[in-house]
Amino acid sequence: MIDLANLQTSLEVAILDHLPDAIVVVGPDGQLILWNLQAQRWLSDYLSCLWEVDPKAQCQVLDHHRCPLPLDQLPLRRVVAGQVIENEDMVLVQRGSDQLLWVAVSGGPVPPGGSAAGILSVRNISTHKHQERQLYHQTYYDALTQLPNRVALIDRLNHLLVQGREPDSMALLFIDLNRFKQVNDDLGHRLGNQLLTELGRRIKDTIPPQAMAARLGSDEFAVVVEHLAGQKEAIDLATDLWHAITQPAVLANHDIRVGASIGIAPGPAAYRHAEDWLRDANTAMHQVKDLADCHWCLFDGSLEAQYSQRLEAETALRRALDNGELQLYYQPIVTISNQAIIGFEALVRWQHPERGLLLPGEFISVAESSGLIIPLSWWVLEEACRQMQAWTETYPNMAHLTVSVNMSSKQFFQKHLVDKVKEILAQTGFDPHRLKLEITESVLIDHSESIIAILQELREMGIRLAVDDFGTGYSSLSYLHQFPFDSLKIDRSFIENADQDFEKLEILQSVVRLAWNLGLDVVAEGVETHRHYAQLRALRCESGQGFLFSQPLPPDSVEQVMRGKVDPDLDPDLDPDFDADLDPDLDPDLEADLGGSPTMA
């Protein structure tokens, strides 16, 4: 053992010089007795601050909380005073350059009998601390926006719940960006990331200083705010955040706009776990998406039951897709002039194991909100093409019939949509000229610029394109000519009572004129009465579908029709020449206006 009190030999000094730590030995008044090579190399600038506090000195010692140490707590004074230091973290600061040196300090008094009074071992742990900080940042911060992440948010919420506060004195806001995926698909992930960074900055700048903003992942953010006087303050903050997020962002010469849905869960209430609080805020956010013209929703107990029901429905629908519980029914589309079948519309049904046959209105909204509408829609397209091709090979008289399939707006968010359609047609062998894809007006309004190229590619393949539910989105009328459509399907709401409602009749007349001017066919949906039929004949509408002609048929019933065994529920009393009791306000010039149309059969 080296006798520090009587250190003399060069061998003993050499041993100290080969140690990785800086070794400092001082006398009872702090005078330097010995320091090894490591201390001379990197500790020499800091030696004075280990013994004394000098306002004029260029360095100081901080504890691990970054607080300056008082005189009696300086490490050399402690060991001289007889204290033992065991591997304590400290920070040595060089004031002039703000250079930080993290060190681990160990030491104690030297036994009496010599000039030495205390020894200090100082190890440079700056690299370790830097790695530790990096790991902490990676664990608790989002790399893109530099906001706290989900882990940090959960920690903060649990901390607040442990403290406990008055009811409604805090709130958790769950923010989901609307149409962000479209930005990624249309402009690329680089601009998408720039937008997320910008929106993260806006959120942080909007919230109070004591609040915490976090990015949960993808296009979801959260804000936890304290010291609220009531729920109104949380609602006001949600409104401010919505306005901040929805302002346009100019990135790479693109004027980018997104929406936001914000769920608010007041707290701390009876929450015991952060995950429960976050779940309720998320539930409220999803409720916003089901409400028209609403940007925020306040959580209450009834939403929890709705959320559980929705989750159960999503699980059941996912199982239905996997287990083959979905079926297609086919509703005939007929010519108005002679009721001849010219095609079918494929309509999905769910053969629920407990509730029986379900119509789309009972599960499509769940598919839309959960994202299951995408695999469901692709299944419908593939199954319709497969079935029509199988029928064509068995019943040659079906070789000219078309099939109409609805396309979800969410499918247009996907890359390679055209390639997917090509793949389905190739696998099934179905003629693209016999496929008609139906697209709602909302798709055109939301994606008027990006959708044109996709529709043109589909049209070039020979696929026919139709605007579905036409008349429910009037804003698209002015630029409909930009899109490569073949036909319009008039929404059933404009067929119903059109013979008694002058306003609806005028709309029908305008739609037919517009379609003919654009060279488009017109298909009427929801034809259910003789008066509907007569009105459409008078308007020279080419084709229609509805219960007057046939209800949607399961595949076996379609096959019976094709074998000529039964009529497809066509009304036996339907007279093609029936034109009595038409609305007296029908435009007498309409027939003359339309008579020369090249689209008439």
Side-chain angles (χ1 to χ4, degrees):
M1 177 179 292
I2 298 175
D3 183 0
L4 293 173
N6 299 283
L7 188 64
Q8 295 179 352
T9 69
S10 60
L11 177 60
E12 292 171 335
V13 174
I15 291 174
L16 293 179
D17 284 343
H18 280 81
L19 293 177
D21 297 346
I23 305 297
V24 178
V25 180
V26 295
D29 296 323
Q31 69 272 29
L32 182 63
I33 294 177
L34 174 108
W35 58 343
N36 69 349
L37 187 60
Q38 294 294 349
Q40 295 175 42
R41 284 178 175 173
W42 58 266
L43 194 59
S44 57
D45 292 340
Y46 300 96
L47 278 178
S48 62
C49 68
L50 297 176
W51 175 259
E52 61 185 348
V53 177
D54 183 359
K56 297 180 181 180
Q58 295 301 308
C59 61
Q60 62 178 325
V61 184
L62 314 179
D63 64 17
H64 66 281
H65 296 299
R66 306 290 183 92
C67 298
L69 292 179
L71 183 65
D72 61 348
Q73 291 300 309
L74 293 179
L76 282 178
R77 287 189 178 270
R78 288 172 62 187
V79 296
V80 169
Q83 296 183 29
V84 175
I85 303 175
E86 295 183 356
N87 206 35
E88 290 188 16
D89 289 356
M90 298 181 185
V91 186
L92 306 183
V93 182
Q94 188 127 17
R95 287 174 173 164
S97 62
D98 290 331
Q99 179 181 347
L100 297 181
L101 185 67
W102 276 93
V103 295
V105 178
S106 300
V110 174
S115 59
I119 181 172
L120 203 63
S121 173
V122 183
R123 175 170 294 180
N124 188 344
I125 59 171
S126 297
T127 300
H128 170 73
K129 283 294 183 180
H130 178 68
Q131 293 173 344
E132 188 179 84
R133 287 198 302 272
Q134 284 186 319
L135 181 60
Y136 178 87
H137 199 82
Q138 292 171 2
T139 303
Y140 290 97
Y141 284 83
D142 173 56
L144 179 64
T145 63
Q146 300 304 310
L147 292 175
N149 60 15
R150 188 186 190 95
V151 175
L153 177 70
I154 294 296
D155 281 356
R156 177 70 173 270
L157 294 179
N158 280 325
H159 177 71
L160 293 175
L161 292 178
V162 169
Q163 288 183 336
R165 301 284 180 86
E166 292 295 321
D168 298 342
S169 63
M170 295 182 282
L172 178 61
L173 284 66
F174 195 112
I175 305 168
D176 180 73
L177 303 182
N178 301 332
R179 291 193 298 238
F180 173 74
K181 191 175 186 303
Q182 181 192 349
V183 175
N184 268 344
D185 290 346
D186 292 350
L187 303 178
H189 289 276
R190 184 177 63 84
L191 279 184
N193 288 342
Q194 291 181 20
L195 179 61
L196 287 174
T197 302
E198 167 64 15
L199 296 180
R201 182 194 61 78
R202 292 185 190 180
I203 291 171
K204 186 175 180 180
D205 290 346
T206 302
I207 63 177
Q210 76 276 11
M212 174 183 177
R215 183 187 177 208
L216 302 180
S218 185
D219 57 354
E220 295 177 340
F221 294 82
V223 171
V224 57
V225 59
E226 308 174 56
H227 311 299
L228 298 177
Q231 294 181 358
K232 184 179 183 304
E233 287 190 28
I235 294 171
D236 291 342
L237 178 58
T239 302
D240 292 342
L241 285 168
W242 184 86
H243 284 295
I245 292 169
T246 56
Q247 292 300 308
V250 180
L251 301 173
N253 297 321
H254 293 281
D255 190 9
I256 304 175
R257 297 172 183 263
V258 295
S261 301
I262 305 176
I264 307 170
Y271 295 118
R272 298 182 60 187
H273 303 288
E275 289 81 0
D276 296 337
W277 198 355
L278 189 61
R279 177 205 61 208
D280 288 351
N282 184 29
T283 299
M285 181 276 295
H286 279 290
Q287 189 71 11
V288 177
K289 297 181 180 295
D290 296 333
L291 302 174
D293 301 322
C294 185
H295 312 307
W296 58 265
C297 179
L298 199 65
F299 178 82
D300 62 45
S302 64
L303 294 182
E304 186 172 5
Q306 295 178 26
Y307 180 80
S308 298
Q309 292 173 0
R310 180 187 294 272
L311 186 61
E312 183 180 345
E314 289 178 13
T315 302
L317 183 55
R318 197 179 304 275
R319 184 178 60 246
L321 281 165
D322 294 338
N323 296 345
E325 296 174 10
L326 299 179
Q327 302 176 8
L328 286 188
Y329 275 49
Y330 299 84
Q331 185 170 37
I333 300 173
V334 306
T335 56
I336 295 296
S337 59
N338 61 6
Q339 302 97 52
I341 297 176
I342 58 175
F344 297 92
E345 180 177 4
L347 301 169
V348 67
R349 301 289 188 265
W350 179 3
Q351 188 60 52
H352 195 283
E354 298 173 358
R355 299 170 58 193
L357 191 67
L358 303 183
L359 299 179
E362 298 179 84
F363 60 88
I364 287 298
S365 62
V366 174
E368 288 279 0
S369 63
S370 65
L372 291 174
I373 191 66
I374 293 176
L376 188 154
S377 297
W378 286 124
W379 176 84
V380 170
L381 178 60
E382 183 174 357
E383 175 62 17
C385 292
R386 185 204 63 77
Q387 181 66 83
M388 288 294 291
Q389 181 62 23
W391 280 336
T392 301
E393 294 171 0
T394 304
Y395 308 103
N397 60 333
M398 291 188 68
H400 67 289
L401 300 184
T402 64
V403 64
S404 298
V405 177
N406 288 282
M407 294 284 286
S408 167
S409 62
K410 294 186 183 301
Q411 288 176 279
F412 286 92
F413 289 144
Q414 293 190 298
K415 292 183 178 180
H416 312 303
L417 179 147
V418 175
D419 292 338
K420 179 69 173 178
V421 174
K422 287 180 180 178
E423 179 184 343
I424 289 174
L425 291 171
Q427 289 177 348
T428 59
F430 189 59
D431 183 357
H433 295 84
R434 296 173 56 199
L435 175 61
K436 182 178 289 186
L437 298 179
E438 299 185 357
I439 303 159
T440 61
E441 286 187 271
S442 62
V443 177
L444 312 182
I445 296 169
D446 291 341
H447 316 295
S448 58
E449 295 182 2
S450 61
I451 196 178
I452 293 177
I454 296 175
L455 295 180
Q456 287 175 338
E457 284 190 73
L458 294 171
R459 180 78 178 278
E460 289 169 2
M461 292 168 56
I463 296 172
R464 306 184 194 184
L465 302 174
V467 183
D468 194 19
D469 299 331
F470 190 81
T472 58
Y474 304 112
S475 58
S476 69
L477 294 176
S478 61
Y479 56 87
L480 184 63
H481 66 279
Q482 301 176 26
F483 297 90
F485 287 107
D486 299 281
S487 60
L488 305 181
K489 294 193 75 171
I490 303 175
D491 185 70
R492 64 179 64 246
S493 63
F494 291 95
I495 303 299
E496 193 175 34
N497 299 325
D499 56 335
Q500 301 173 11
D501 188 324
F502 179 70
E503 182 178 355
K504 285 187 177 180
L505 185 61
E506 283 192 326
I507 292 174
L508 279 175
Q509 293 175 353
S510 299
V511 168
V512 173
R513 282 196 180 99
L514 175 65
W516 282 45
N517 287 336
L518 296 175
L520 307 178
D521 296 331
V522 178
V523 182
E525 294 181 293
V527 183
E528 297 184 355
T529 69
H530 290 76
R531 295 182 65 84
H532 293 165
Y533 172 71
Q535 198 79 68
L536 293 171
R537 280 192 64 246
L539 289 169
R540 298 275 183 104
C541 182
E542 289 92 341
S543 55
Q545 65 185 96
F547 281 15
L548 180 65
F549 307 121
S550 172
Q551 63 182 347
L553 304 173
D556 57 346
S557 295
V558 173
E559 293 172 5
Q560 292 183 28
V561 172
M562 291 302 105
R563 290 196 296 266
K565 292 187 176 182
V566 296
D567 289 332
D569 293 341
L570 295 180
D571 190 325
D573 298 324
L574 190 59
D575 182 359
D577 297 324
F578 175 78
D579 59 2
D581 297 327
L582 297 184
D583 193 294
D585 291 317
L586 182 64
D587 187 344
D589 298 325
L590 182 63
E591 183 172 348
D593 291 342
L594 303 180
S597 169
T599 62
M600 285 296 292

